[in-house]
Amino acid sequence: MGKLLKGLVTLTAATAAVGGLAYVFKDQIKESKVYKDYEVDEKIKKVKNTINENETFNKVKDKVNENETFNKVKDTLKEKMPKVFDNEADYVDEGEIFFDDLDAATSDRDYVSLDAEDKADADDTTDAEPVTEG
């Protein structure tokens, strides 16, 4: 695993270095003989125009935008997605989770105190001899 991670980091660093150099020297690259010989600018423009003028591409794009089912699914997903912190109604009130002192006093549950003083009193009673009937 370490070898794979090390290789991935090396590849990422090398890619970033090449990209950085290409960005820094982009003007020199565009003025180079190879760039001009292969007519890279014209080829890029041709591809962009082909994509924009392609009837099939535009038809598919328009069909997707007009598709009733697609729009219904999109709207349904927007409605069903949870809204996080949109309004205060989404927050939980402390009173909904925790007992107030008044609620604890009026409830019919028995509670045990965990104070250190109560424990000392409990230890005193355990030292006493058990009562036997007889």
Side-chain angles (χ1 to χ4, degrees), residues 49-66:
N49 289 335
T50 304
I51 290 173
N52 290 334
E53 294 173 0
N54 191 341
E55 290 180 32
T56 308
F57 176 78
N58 289 328
K59 284 180 184 178
V60 169
K61 185 175 76 170
D62 293 340
K63 284 284 187 186
V64 168
N65 290 335
E66 293 173 3

Side-chain angles (χ1 to χ4, degrees), residues 4 67 82 88:
L4 177 66
N67 191 338
E88 291 184 21

Side-chain angles (χ1 to χ4, degrees), residues 40-56:
V40 176
D41 283 335
E42 289 80 20
K43 290 181 180 179
I44 291 173
K45 287 178 184 175
K46 184 178 177 183
V47 169
K48 285 182 180 180
N49 289 335
T50 304
I51 290 173
N52 290 334
E53 294 173 0
N54 191 341
E55 290 180 32
T56 308

Side-chain angles (χ1 to χ4, degrees), residues 29-91:
I29 291 170
K30 285 184 178 183
E31 293 173 3
S32 70
K33 184 177 189 249
V34 174
Y35 191 86
K36 290 178 182 177
D37 287 346
Y38 285 104
E39 301 173 346
V40 176
D41 283 335
E42 289 80 20
K43 290 181 180 179
I44 291 173
K45 287 178 184 175
K46 184 178 177 183
V47 169
K48 285 182 180 180
N49 289 335
T50 304
I51 290 173
N52 290 334
E53 294 173 0
N54 191 341
E55 290 180 32
T56 308
F57 176 78
N58 289 328
K59 284 180 184 178
V60 169
K61 185 175 76 170
D62 293 340
K63 284 284 187 186
V64 168
N65 290 335
E66 293 173 3
N67 191 338
E68 196 173 313
T69 307
F70 175 78
N71 289 328
K72 284 181 183 177
V73 169
K74 186 172 71 172
D75 293 340
T76 304
L77 286 175
K78 281 183 181 178
E79 290 172 8
K80 289 188 176 183
M81 290 297 291
K83 294 178 181 172
V84 180
F85 306 118
D86 275 352
N87 57 26
E88 291 184 21
D90 292 337
Y91 298 115

Side-chain angles (χ1 to χ4, degrees), residues 108-126:
D108 55 351
R109 295 183 180 176
D110 292 330
Y111 293 95
V112 177
S113 176
L114 299 176
D115 292 335
E117 295 172 8
D118 290 342
K119 186 178 180 195
D121 294 340
D123 289 341
D124 292 341
T125 58
T126 55

